[in-house]
Amino acid sequence: MIYNVIACVGLMFILKYGSIISFARDLLCKLGFFKELFNCSLCLGFWSGVIVMAVIGIDSNTILLPLVSCCTCWFADCLMTLLQYYELKLEKDVK
């Protein structure tokens, strides 16, 4: 189950921040639904969980994966934002 949740977080980060799919993301974000989706790590985490669950199969162990994924993805995104904030703050203090 841990691998599945980590896969969901990785998928969320690739979909939200990955430069390799930026062209497709930019096209999709012209539509209101996708613009909101790609700006919300909680929402994107849920749908990442649905995608991973569909790939590995639905059973009693994976039925709650989208819910666990959305919470974990939101937490990971907030943690990443916090780390980036402190990194920029440290760079500013060094200069």
Side-chain angles (χ1 to χ4, degrees):
M1 181 73 165
I2 301 257
Y3 291 120
N4 297 335
V5 174
I6 292 170
C8 293
V9 173
L11 180 60
M12 185 272 305
F13 274 122
I14 289 170
L15 292 173
K16 190 169 182 181
Y17 300 113
S19 61
I20 194 146
I21 64 160
S22 63
F23 178 74
R25 183 177 52 242
D26 292 343
L27 285 176
L28 287 172
C29 284
K30 291 181 180 179
L31 302 171
F33 171 77
F34 287 106
K35 184 176 182 179
E36 289 181 37
L37 178 67
F38 283 106
N39 285 326
C40 176
S41 58
L42 195 67
C43 304
L44 200 55
F46 175 82
W47 289 108
S48 295
V50 170
I51 291 168
V52 170
M53 183 179 66
V55 169
I56 63 174
I58 300 172
D59 61 15
S60 61
N61 292 326
T62 61
I63 195 72
L64 295 177
L65 182 61
L67 301 176
V68 173
S69 172
C70 73
C71 295
T72 308
C73 288
W74 174 79
F75 180 77
D77 197 35
C78 289
L79 183 62
M80 186 64 66
T81 302
L82 184 65
L83 289 172
Q84 287 174 340
Y85 168 78
Y86 281 114
E87 178 184 16
L88 292 173
K89 188 174 178 355
L90 284 172
E91 285 179 6
K92 183 180 175 186
D93 290 345
V94 169
K95 291 179 182 179

